[in-house]
């Protein structure tokens, strides 16, 4: 059982997650990655995130809608929710630059975050409600590879890496769910590449 193994050896859990995150970055998932199968349109609906500062229960319910955390125990997600810092930013506000330390990740609750190459105007990816921004750099413990800019109505929870690792140690299932999400990300990428390899080739010059 993975939880038993990682519960006895929490450092192995951290090293495994770091390696999977680095592989995901190398394969380009930090910029363009497949969306999880769970529908998340309801997270972007007007009024789903209150205008007042979120209490612990509201944070918990919103984080549970994220596939990264949804299958983990309530206690584990609650530990993350209580340690997180609520973030509300104006459209166009720079959240981080290329090369900045990746000491935290953003769990986007409403609005959006545009991920783009340094000084570029066109985003390479947009993280909206129920998605995350900066989690791969954070887990891999590597400097930011892209800029992040707040979109309209951004409400997010900033989860510090040290707080996240502490939560993993106390609630191993939380870390295991992250491993599964990272593994699924890489598996989808491998399946896409395999499909391309077996697709019919058009002869040069057309049929």
């Amino acid at each position: 059982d993975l939880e038993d193994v990682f519960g006895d050896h929490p450092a192995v859990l951290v090293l495994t997650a770091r390696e999977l995150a680095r592989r995901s970055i190398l394969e380009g998932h930090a910029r363009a990655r497949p969306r999880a199968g769970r529908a998340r349109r309801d997270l972007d609906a007007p009024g789903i995130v209150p205008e007042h500062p979120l209490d612990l229960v509201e944070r918990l319910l919103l984080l549970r809608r994220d596939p990264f955390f949804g299958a983990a125990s309530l206690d584990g997600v609650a530990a993350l929710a209580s340690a997180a810092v609520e973030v509300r930013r104006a459209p166009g506000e720079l959240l981080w630059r290329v090369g900045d330390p990746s000491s935290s990740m953003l769990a986007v609750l409403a609005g959006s975050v545009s991920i783009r190459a340094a000084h570029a105007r066109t985003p390479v990816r947009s993280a909206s409600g129920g998605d995350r921004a900066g989690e791969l750099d954070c887990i891999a413990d590597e400097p930011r590879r892209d800029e992040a800019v707040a979109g309209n109505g951004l409400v997010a929870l900033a989860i510090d890496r040290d707080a996240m690792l502490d939560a993993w140690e106390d609630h191993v299932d939380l870390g295991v769910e992250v491993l599964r999400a990272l593994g699924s990300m890489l598996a989808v990428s491998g399946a896409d590449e395999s499909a391309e390899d077996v697709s019919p080739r058009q002869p040069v010059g057309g049929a």
Side-chain angles (χ1 to χ4, degrees), residues 147-176:
E147 289 184 346
V149 179
N152 291 326
L154 174 62
V155 182
L157 293 178
I159 301 173
D160 179 80
R161 179 172 51 245
D162 289 340
M164 178 177 64
L165 297 183
D166 286 343
W168 288 5
E169 187 168 354
D170 294 335
H171 308 278
V172 179
D173 64 295
L174 188 62
V176 171

Side-chain angles (χ1 to χ4, degrees), residues 33-98:
R33 62 175 186 262
R35 301 271 295 184
R38 180 178 304 187
R40 292 195 288 246
R41 289 178 298 174
D42 57 331
L43 291 172
D44 297 318
I48 193 68
V49 176
E51 293 184 2
H52 61 257
L54 302 174
D55 61 29
L56 178 59
V57 174
E58 291 167 334
R59 291 181 176 204
L60 174 61
L61 291 175
L62 288 164
L63 277 181
R64 290 277 289 177
R65 299 188 183 193
D66 184 334
F68 226 51
F69 313 114
S73 66
L74 285 174
D75 287 344
V77 181
L80 278 184
S82 62
V85 175
E86 186 173 330
V87 173
R88 295 176 185 255
R89 293 290 184 268
E93 186 171 342
L94 186 66
L95 301 173
W96 61 72
R97 297 179 174 85
V98 175

Side-chain angles (χ1 to χ4, degrees), residues 1-20:
D1 184 87
L2 286 178
E3 291 185 24
D4 291 338
V5 172
F6 291 133
D8 293 336
H9 306 282
V12 177
L13 171 60
V14 174
L15 290 174
T16 303
R18 186 173 296 165
E19 179 60 25
L20 289 176

Side-chain angles (χ1 to χ4, degrees), residues 17-29 136 140 186-187:
R18 186 173 296 165
E19 179 60 25
L20 289 176
R22 287 173 176 168
R23 286 181 56 191
S24 294
I25 290 171
L26 290 174
E27 295 192 14
H29 290 300
L136 294 180
L186 289 167

